[in-house]
Each structure stands twice: as structure tokens, then as C-alpha cells.
Amino acid sequence: GDDGDDDALNRSLAALGDDFLERTRGAAGERPARAAKADMLQFPGERPDDWEALLAEARAAYPPRAGPRRSKHKRREARRFKIIRRQHYVAKQQKKAAHFRAMEKRSRLPEAR
């Protein structure tokens, strides 16, 4: 590019001055409405004519997925079923213990003798 453009782009922060933020915000501290107009941007938001071709090109750039994706699901499922079986076992032991406590209490009643 032009040397003048490079110099303008490469200004140091010291060259902006200490009151740069105050000058850009205005009198009451409000921010400016927009930093740049849309027609002044280097890359305006242009839309391509053929979206399908652009998407096809983007899809072609990605490598295909390697192998099936089900081992994590199977591991998660096995862990979940194991936890459920353990919970059922604990609940069964608790029900058995409650039954034995009730029977022990009933055997101590005077009518049972």
C-alpha cells in the first residue's frame, strides 16, 4: 500500500492524546451513535448470489467423521443401569429390614405370647 496509508493506520496511542476517550464520547459522556457508516467498511455485508454452491464448498472442506459414535452412549447407558440396579438393591434391603423390624416389634406384643 501507500506509505501515507500505513502511517495513518500505524499511529501510536500516544499520538491520540490523553483526552482521546473524552473527545470521542462527547460532552455528557454519551457514546457516539456509530463508529463507521456501512458504506465506509472495507468488507460490507455482501451476500453471494449462489448460497448452495458456497455451502457445498464449505461442507467439502470438512473431513468426514471417523467411525461410529455410539461407544459413549453405551458406556453412559451401562453406568445408568448399574446405578439403577444398585438403587433397587438398596431399596429392597431397606424394605426387608423394615419388615424384620415390624415382625420383631410384633413378637414383643403381649397378644403374641
Side-chain angles (χ1 to χ4, degrees):
D2 200 7
D3 284 339
D5 288 342
D6 289 337
D7 288 339
L9 291 173
N10 294 327
R11 286 181 296 167
S12 67
L13 289 175
L16 293 174
D18 293 336
D19 61 340
F20 172 71
L21 286 176
E22 287 78 16
R23 284 187 285 128
T24 56
R25 288 195 178 165
E30 71 273 355
R31 294 181 175 210
R34 287 193 69 110
K37 303 285 185 208
D39 57 343
M40 293 172 58
L41 294 175
Q42 185 179 2
F43 300 108
E46 294 178 9
R47 293 174 173 262
D49 295 331
D50 190 11
W51 275 104
E52 287 77 18
L54 185 65
L55 289 173
E57 184 180 337
R59 284 189 195 103
Y62 284 112
R65 291 179 73 165
R69 299 287 189 269
R70 53 181 174 253
S71 60
K72 285 184 183 178
H73 173 71
K74 285 187 175 180
R75 244 181 278 145
R76 253 185 246 120
E77 204 171 52
R79 189 181 313 124
R80 191 174 76 235
F81 290 155
K82 185 176 180 181
I83 290 169
I84 290 171
R85 282 193 300 271
R86 189 183 320 137
Q87 289 170 344
H88 287 178
Y89 175 76
V90 168
K92 183 175 182 177
Q93 297 305 314
Q94 290 172 348
K95 283 175 76 173
K96 281 175 148 181
H99 171 73
F100 283 117
R101 281 193 307 271
M103 294 299 109
E104 182 68 31
K105 188 177 182 182
R106 191 180 296 170
S107 70
R108 282 192 242 125
L109 292 176
E111 302 93 41
R113 293 181 183 172

